[in-house]
Amino acid sequence: MPDEALLAVKERAADVLMQIPGVTGVGIGGRERDGSPTGELVLKVFVQRKRPLAELTPGETLPTRFEGIGIDVSELGIGRLETAPPIEEATPATVPGSPLTSDHDTDDERYRPLIGGSRVQSDMSGVGFGTLGCFLLHETDLNKVYAITNYHVIVGGGQNRPPAVAGSTRVGQSEASSSPTKCCSHMIGTFVGGSRDTVRDAALIQLDAGMEYRKELIGIGVITDTHTITQQEAQTQRYAVRKRGARTRLTGGVVEAINTTHTTSDGFTRNNVTVVKPNPNIAVPAGRPLYFSDSGDSGSVLVNDQGQAVTLHYAGTFVATQKMNKGLELPIEQIIATFVAEGFAIRMATGTTTGVVFTVPGATTVALPQELVPALAGLPAGESVRVPVEASWLPGVPLPTPHLLAGLEQQLDSTRAGRRLITLWLRHGSELIALLESHRRVALVWHRCGGPALMQMFFRMTADHTLAMPETINGRPLSEALYRIADAFAPYASPGLRHDLAEARAALPDLGGMTYPQVLTAFRLE
């Protein structure tokens, strides 16, 4: 029977069989007997729980065939969206499933360059965490590079969540937080399109100019192409897929059914769902649950053994009798085609070599102050170094660890001037970030006077007491550069911020030429 004809039979079967109590899905796949594939292409009918025939009423009994096509019964619950709650390379065929992990045990690493399979979160109120699936490129505009995840990752999993605002809702990796120094900012881009409907649950995030990324998935490698799983491939019950999610990390499984009609907990019924069951894992004791995916994995991209992206993960369902969490997926080519029809001329970002770093074009650059080039860029004095205004960190400069930041706060809090700076940040941090992001003049003065570079230099000084603050910035006294930064904020600041900036400016000692211990001494004397 041609594929289109079988798909039409499946749709008619779903209309009939989904009315039977306990039926949760109808798809196309291969028959299994005693856990082994028979090679027969059948309608896969999913039920909440298999029961003996003697327990079924006449209205609950399933036929053995539908319009001449055999029926194979498997178990599948109601799908639940797999975002994690807010916080209060292996051989393809042998990648196992995952054991159960804590709800908050998501991979919270901040990946720079960006990479698929890492954790993302939007700045909308009350949302949890999901996974950055992979990257897509604009067909003609080289300045537009996108990441893809689920729409419910952006807005939250509830049915009555407010919509995301295209061009406004911001997204971060690994969390949705900004920093005025851009040293620790997690923001990577802006939501520009997508929805949760009967065909897809997908969102496009346009990456900020200057953002670095790799066309790879963690632990898997590059994506080579896209592919739609065929009926013949699903028939084998051995079609292998892998995904890397922020919760269960790298897991492998096999496709149980495609084109499945299934309803998830958010009320959406789709006819294009792929069902995946996890591979065995010898590390999971007998009788313990096995997971292909779990909360926090929403947005993961599944690839086949050829490295082709096949589906976008959006939900899962736990089958108690089989002690496994099955994954629910949507065809990636269909999702891309839907975006293209909406005017997004996109294609998969594919590659051939791992480790290659790409940069989103279009970034505004500023010159790194000459006085900081040797310490931060590792180049001789006099060398010209330009850095993107949007860059979150200078290449080669280590990120401050949480331990370093906690120790720095404790030491500053022990000084009068340090406490004043901490209070300034606690009172006005959000406003300072907003001014940097909304007023170009403020941002340009901040960067041209070396604001981010000075902060990064200060972090390095806490660990290396041979380093010292520069006496000048761009040939002018350091204190003058700091005053210019404060003066740039003042015209746009609230009265409270303007007052506290003036007090901080008056109290800040001249730090030019000082090491970190000398800075602390000067702060104590203030």
Side-chain angles (χ1 to χ4, degrees):
M1 179 180 292
D3 289 358
E4 296 80 4
L6 180 57
L7 182 59
V9 172
K10 186 235 90 175
E11 297 295 337
R12 292 193 293 272
D15 289 341
V16 174
L17 301 179
M18 292 288 286
Q19 304 302 314
I20 298 175
V23 174
T24 58
V26 179
I28 298 172
R31 186 186 296 278
E32 286 186 295
R33 281 204 176 98
D34 299 324
S36 298
T38 67
E40 180 186 357
L41 185 62
V42 296
L43 296 176
K44 298 288 287 192
V45 178
F46 295 96
V47 296
Q48 282 273 16
R49 182 176 67 87
K50 283 186 175 183
R51 292 185 290 163
L53 190 60
E55 290 185 14
L56 301 176
T57 66
E60 295 175 324
T61 304
L62 291 170
T64 58
R65 307 185 75 81
F66 186 91
E67 295 186 13
I69 306 299
I71 286 178
D72 188 42
V73 180
S74 184
E75 292 183 324
L76 190 73
I78 301 298
R80 59 180 178 84
L81 305 180
E82 292 193 329
T83 46
I87 294 177
E88 316 245 74
E89 271 194 324
T91 303
T94 60
V95 175
S98 170
L100 176 65
T101 57
S102 161
D103 279 349
H104 296 286
D105 183 24
T106 55
D107 177 7
D108 61 358
E109 182 171 344
R110 179 180 180 275
Y111 289 92
R112 300 294 184 275
L114 295 174
I115 189 169
S118 54
R119 193 176 80 171
V120 290
Q121 182 186 41
S122 82
D123 65 356
M124 294 185 67
S125 175
V127 300
F129 299 97
T131 298
L132 186 161
C134 62
F135 303 101
L136 300 110
L137 307 177
H138 195 280
E139 290 280 11
T140 58
D141 190 342
L142 299 179
N143 292 331
K144 293 181 179 178
V145 179
Y146 305 93
I148 192 169
T149 188
N150 292 140
Y151 184 77
H152 77 259
V153 169
I154 303 298
V155 302
Q159 291 181 309
N160 299 311
R161 295 286 302 170
V165 180
S168 176
T169 299
R170 295 282 288 163
V171 181
Q173 192 289 311
S174 63
E175 61 187 40
S177 64
S178 292
S179 164
T181 67
K182 282 195 174 289
C183 70
C184 309
S185 175
H186 292 263
M187 291 304 187
I188 63 170
T190 304
F191 166 79
V192 291
S195 68
R196 179 168 40 168
D197 50 42
T198 57
V199 174
R200 67 177 174 184
D201 182 343
L204 286 182
I205 305 156
Q206 183 171 334
L207 301 184
D208 293 337
M211 187 64 62
E212 293 183 335
Y213 67 100
R214 290 162 54 185
K215 301 175 183 178
E216 303 174 34
L217 308 182
I218 301 169
I220 292 176
V222 297
I223 293 177
T224 61
D225 202 351
T226 59
H227 175 71
T228 296
I229 302 169
T230 67
Q231 294 176 6
Q232 291 70 34
E233 290 166 336
Q235 177 180 353
T236 66
Q237 294 292 287
R238 298 187 186 276
Y239 191 82
V241 290
R242 294 168 289 159
K243 72 104 187 72
R244 207 289 180 172
R247 174 78 180 280
T248 55
R249 280 65 167 186
L250 178 63
T251 59
V254 295
V255 172
E256 188 172 12
I258 62 172
N259 296 123
T260 304
T261 299
H262 182 72
T263 302
T264 42
S265 57
D266 58 351
F268 285 96
T269 298
R270 299 179 176 91
N271 297 315
N272 58 344
V273 177
T274 297
V275 181
V276 175
K277 57 183 178 181
N279 287 330
N281 186 338
I282 60 174
V284 178
R288 298 295 298 276
L290 187 64
Y291 286 73
F292 179 74
S293 60
D294 205 0
S295 300
D297 291 332
S298 281
S300 308
V301 165
L302 275 65
V303 301
N304 60 19
D305 284 352
Q306 289 72 48
Q308 298 169 318
V310 291
T311 56
L312 183 70
H313 176 74
Y314 76 102
T317 179
F318 186 73
V319 180
T321 58
Q322 298 177 358
K323 295 191 183 311
M324 67 171 58
N325 200 72
K326 296 182 179 181
L328 302 176
E329 333 295 336
L330 298 170
I332 195 72
E333 288 189 336
Q334 191 173 14
I335 290 172
I336 292 175
T338 303
F339 279 119
V340 171
E342 293 174 343
F344 292 95
I346 57 173
R347 59 180 172 84
M348 182 64 64
T350 59
T352 57
T353 306
T354 60
V356 180
V357 177
F358 300 86
T359 303
V360 180
T364 301
T365 62
V366 295
L368 183 68
Q370 286 288 314
E371 295 88 343
L372 294 169
V373 166
L376 294 182
L379 297 174
E383 290 283 341
S384 177
V385 177
R386 298 192 68 83
V387 295
V389 170
E390 296 86 353
S392 59
W393 198 250
L394 293 176
V397 180
L399 288 168
T401 65
H403 178 74
L404 183 150
L405 293 174
L408 175 61
E409 181 179 0
Q410 184 178 17
Q411 290 174 326
L412 290 178
D413 195 47
S414 68
T415 69
R416 293 179 62 189
R419 284 194 297 274
R420 189 184 297 273
L421 293 176
I422 291 172
T423 300
L424 174 69
W425 172 249
L426 292 176
R427 286 178 179 172
H428 308 291
S430 297
E431 183 179 354
L432 289 167
I433 292 171
L435 291 175
L436 277 172
E437 293 182 343
S438 61
H439 291 277
R440 181 174 175 80
R441 181 179 179 277
V442 176
L444 287 176
V445 171
W446 167 248
H447 284 275
R448 285 172 177 168
C449 291
L454 286 168
M455 291 298 298
Q456 294 173 35
M457 184 68 176
F458 190 65
F459 286 138
R460 293 196 68 184
M461 288 167 50
T462 63
D464 184 350
H465 292 177
T466 66
L467 295 175
M469 294 293 282
E471 299 208 15
T472 61
I473 291 292
N474 298 322
R476 308 292 296 177
L478 173 62
S479 58
E480 183 178 316
L482 297 178
Y483 294 160
R484 284 192 62 199
I485 290 173
D487 291 343
F489 279 98
Y492 310 100
S494 65
L497 174 57
R498 193 178 303 119
H499 174 270
D500 288 354
L501 281 172
E503 281 199 345
R505 171 176 171 166
L508 193 67
D510 185 357
L511 305 178
M514 289 188 182
T515 64
Y516 180 64
Q518 291 171 333
V519 169
L520 291 179
T521 299
F523 277 10
R524 292 189 183 99
L525 295 175
E526 183 272 324

